[in-house]
């Protein structure tokens, strides 16, 4: 094997498929990353600005060249504005995804979305009650209509506080009010971020950063929370479900349909079509043994969480999966879909289908899904996938799949604990579990694929820290075998005992990236049970391989919610020591938590461990020297 494949990824299937793509002479994201070297140092430090056409401008980080843009903006202003816009884009992506689910909910209420239904009426009623909607003796569709309307109001400008933010502990909400960062409307905060960062508006780097936190909170306690809750209402609240992961989930003798993207609205309907006995019969009539639906990235996580649909891989695997030659069709919705995929697919037999009016890609056929036609479209695309099975060339599925358990919603965790968070709190107090860490986020060719996630997770569970994961981190950890009950053999003695008696793995799959809100809800429940704030708990967050604007928004709302967060890759802020200092130190006195940056996961584990022990000490619990 060419040596550099091993430096690019720790995943065996990744290494072998990289080798194959080299032989096939198909470029990958790593090749293009190499071709971009050296990347622009100004942009890396966040000191380039192209917000207006008096520019583009850049600040010389060595102090020799210009220290101001044409308008007079200095490095602090430029860095803060750029970061604010990253957060606005990330918050917009999650929140618009949430809006699409609300649209489906509204259509279900009007009976104009054939094939969609309310699968979790209990959750429907619970969320409706939070909005003061009467549920007694009413039909689910009526309640759903009122709830959809109320959720649309969360996006607007009529409110002073998001209703969903009411789920945060009292102390946290008081703090947000005091700091004037309580999110008001979801779209409002994003729109205001774009206004503030227009040339000649907000030129205070501190006020820009505070609004950025408010914008991020409108994602975490708004758009993403709505996305998760409405997905549960429409498609079911996850329960622990066995599944399989890595490219070994592809089947050489079945029609392989892979869904990629984020929104379950399309992938759920594709699943229904792929499981229809008539479609399976059609596949058999074409010589296949069946239809094998697999996921990639977060839409894959959505299906994995609720139905145990197998997961073919995470972000950096999305090109490599196609190189197996086994994917008869890939169906995408939006976010994190590399525009290279159409070209990669053209080198094999894979048909590529885009489905969202918001997201087009070169080399893909566009078949647009809407709530009213989704069922018909799903059957159309799956039928085409079956027809494409005959066009397969040679197939290379390099590894066996790995077992995993997904589906840990907060409801499922509380259920596993016997109905209340007390056993978890007792284990924390007794020091058997030292604390918990959320490991979340992406892959990034700047960090060896999956190495950041897997190494950090390994070190934390060894040291009795429970890991909750989402997104591409969750897929990395599943592939590493951390998500079966036997994985307690990797855990420290206390965590091993607790997980063993509860029958859960030491690493809990909490879902897709919007499902990070499940971690917030659990953290709020723990804080409420202890009568304290989230910032007092022995918790931490980490995004060891993050790349996307969405991840910046997540990091910002997690910190603004009071949870210390360690980033792997450095965000583009190094050009402003003021902004760096605020985010890594100053925020402690503001929101009770900070960011840290540490690309080495071994060292990141040390940071998280000392933070958790420190938090334990402040709570009056026993402290272990790391
Ligand atoms: O929302 S973890 S690479 S797939 S952004 Fe994207 Fe990052 Fe993966 Fe999911 Ni999240
Ligand atoms: Fe340059 Fe200012 Fe325009 Fe940015 S806003 S491009 S710093 S003139």
């Amino acid at each position: 094997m060419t040596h550099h494949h091993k430096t690019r990824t720790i995943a065996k299937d990744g290494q072998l498929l990289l080798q194959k793509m080299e032989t096939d002479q198909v470029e990958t994201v790593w090749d293009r990353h190499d071709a971009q070297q050296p990347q622009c140092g100004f942009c890396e430090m966040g000191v380039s600005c192209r917000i207006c056409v008096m520019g583009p401008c850049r600040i010389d980080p060595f102090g020799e060249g210009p220290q101001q843009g044409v308008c007079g903006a200095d490095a602090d202003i430029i860095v803060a504005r750029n970061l604010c816009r990253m957060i606005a884009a990330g918050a917009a992506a999650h929140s618009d995804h949430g809006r699409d689910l609300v649209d489906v909910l509204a259509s279900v209420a009007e009976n104009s979305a054939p094939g969609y239904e309310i699968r979790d009426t209990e959750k429907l009623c619970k969320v409706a009650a939070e909005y003061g909607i009467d549920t007694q003796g009413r039909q689910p569709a009526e309640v759903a209509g009122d709830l959809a309307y109320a959720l649309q109001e969360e996006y607007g400008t009529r409110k002073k506080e998001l209703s969903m933010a009411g789920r945060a502990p009292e102390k946290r909400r008081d703090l947000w009010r005091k700091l004037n960062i309580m999110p008001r409307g979801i779209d409002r905060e994003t729109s205001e971020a774009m206004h503030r960062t227009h040339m000649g508006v907000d030129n205070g780097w501190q006020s820009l950063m505070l609004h950025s936190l408010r914008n991020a909170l409108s994602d975490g306690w708004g758009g993403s929370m709505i996305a998760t809750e409405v997905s549960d209402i429409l498609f079911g609240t996850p329960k622990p479900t066995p599944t399989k992961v890595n490219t070994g989930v592809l089947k050489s003798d079945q029609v392989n349909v892979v869904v990629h993207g984020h929104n379950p609205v399309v992938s759920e309907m594709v699943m229904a079509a792929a499981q229809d006995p008539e479609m399976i019969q059609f596949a058999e009539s074409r010589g296949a043994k069946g239809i094998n639906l697999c996921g990639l990235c977060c839409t894959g996580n959505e299906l994995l969480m609720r139905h145990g649909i197998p997961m073919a891989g995470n972000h950096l695997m999305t090109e490599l999966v196609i190189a197996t030659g086994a994917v008869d069709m890939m169906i995408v919705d939006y976010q994190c879909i590399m525009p290279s995929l159409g070209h990669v697919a053209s080198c094999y037999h894979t048909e590529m289908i885009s489905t969202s009016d918001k997201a087009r890609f070169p080399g893909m056929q566009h078949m647009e899904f809407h709530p009213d036609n989704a069922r018909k479209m799903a059957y159309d695309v799956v039928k085409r996938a079956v027809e494409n099975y005959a066009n397969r060339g040679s197939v290379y599925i390099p590894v066996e799949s790995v077992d995993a358990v997904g589906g840990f919603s907060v409801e499922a965790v509380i259920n596993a604990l016997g109905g209340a968070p007390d056993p978890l709190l007792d284990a924390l107090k007794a020091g058997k579990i030292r604390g918990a860490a959320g490991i979340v986020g992406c892959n990034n060719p700047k960090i060896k694929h999956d190495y950041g996630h897997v190494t950090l997770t390994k070190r934390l569970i060894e040291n009795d820290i429970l890991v909750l994961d989402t997104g591409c981190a969750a897929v990395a950890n599943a592939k590493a075998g951390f998500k079966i009950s036997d994985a307690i053999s990797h855990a420290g003695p206390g965590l091993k005992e607790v997980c063993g008696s509860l029958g859960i793995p030491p690493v809990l799959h909490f879902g897709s990236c919007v499902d990070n809100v499940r971690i917030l809800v659990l953290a709020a429940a723990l804080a409420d049970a202890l009568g304290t704030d989230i910032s007092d708990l022995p918790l931490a967050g980490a995004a060891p391989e993050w790349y996307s604007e969405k991840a910046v928004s997540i990091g910002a709302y997690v910190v603004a919610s009071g949870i210390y967060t360690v980033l792997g890759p450095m965000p583009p802020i190094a050009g402003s020591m003021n902004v760096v200092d605020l985010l890594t130190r100053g925020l402690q006195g503001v929101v009770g938590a900070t960011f840290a940056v540490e690309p080495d996961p071994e060292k990141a584990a040390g940071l998280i461990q000392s933070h958790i022990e420190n938090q334990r000490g402040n709570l009056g619990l026993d402290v272990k020297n790391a």
Side-chain angles (χ1 to χ4, degrees), residues 210-234:
L210 280 173
H211 179 72
S212 300
L213 295 183
R214 176 161 56 186
N215 196 175
L217 287 170
S218 80
D219 172 358
W221 299 88
S224 281
M225 205 165 267
I226 289 173
T228 290
E229 293 297 51
V230 179
S231 295
D232 284 356
I233 290 168
L234 290 170

Side-chain angles (χ1 to χ4, degrees), residues 4-18 28-30 33 246-247 296-297 311-321 338 441-456 471-480 544-547 569 599 601:
H4 65 262
H5 299 144
K6 288 192 173 164
T7 66
R8 288 175 166 183
T9 174
I10 63 164
K12 192 77 201 163
D13 57 349
Q15 292 169 357
L16 293 166
L17 286 163
L18 271 168
T28 66
V29 55
W30 286 275
H33 181 252
N246 80 26
T247 48
L296 281 172
C297 290
M311 169 64 80
N314 47 10
H315 182 54
L316 285 187
M317 290 301 296
T318 56
E319 294 175 315
L320 302 184
V321 162
M338 288 190 238
C442 322
N443 297 137
N444 183 330
K446 292 180 176 168
I447 303 263
K448 192 196 281 188
H449 172 232
D450 287 354
Y451 172 76
H453 301 305
V454 171
T455 310
L456 178 60
C472 290
V475 180
N477 284 336
K479 289 188 287 179
E545 304 179 28
W546 75 276
Y547 92 89

Side-chain angles (χ1 to χ4, degrees), residues 133-191:
I133 295 165
D134 190 16
T135 57
Q136 286 299 316
R138 298 179 73 202
Q139 288 300 313
E142 280 178 71
V143 177
D146 288 354
L147 179 59
Y149 189 86
L151 293 172
Q152 283 157 355
E153 291 280 14
E154 295 271 64
Y155 284 86
T157 56
R158 286 162 42 116
K159 302 183 110 162
K160 292 207 170 60
E161 298 187 357
L162 294 184
S163 301
M164 284 271 175
R167 293 178 168 192
E170 185 76 54
K171 280 190 190 168
R172 191 56 22 190
R173 280 179 284 141
D174 285 342
L175 179 65
W176 292 340
R177 287 183 196 116
K178 198 183 94 205
L179 295 168
N180 204 20
I181 60 169
M182 175 64 89
R184 299 155 298 178
I186 298 165
D187 290 345
R188 174 178 183 168
E189 306 309 354
T190 295
S191 189

Side-chain angles (χ1 to χ4, degrees), residues 48 63 149 202 247 344 360 372 396 411 568 585:
S48 52
Y149 189 86
D202 194 353
T247 48
V344 175
R360 313 280 173 133
D372 59 344
Y396 174 59
E411 292 82 347
R585 267 189 290 272

Side-chain angles (χ1 to χ4, degrees), residues 238-243 304-309 404-408:
K239 295 186 188 71
T241 315
T243 186
L304 179 155
M305 288 286 285
R306 297 193 179 87
H307 314 288
I309 294 293
V405 176
F408 288 94

Side-chain angles (χ1 to χ4, degrees), residues 47-59 68-74 77-78 81-82 197-200 203:
V47 288
S48 52
C49 181
R50 33 156 285 265
I51 276 174
C52 88
V53 175
M54 294 192 286
C57 306
R58 57 197 202 272
I59 306 299
Q68 293 181 333
V70 175
C71 67
D74 62 13
I77 296 170
I78 290 176
R81 270 197 313 220
N82 287 340
T197 54
H198 185 280
M199 147 51 198
N203 291 284

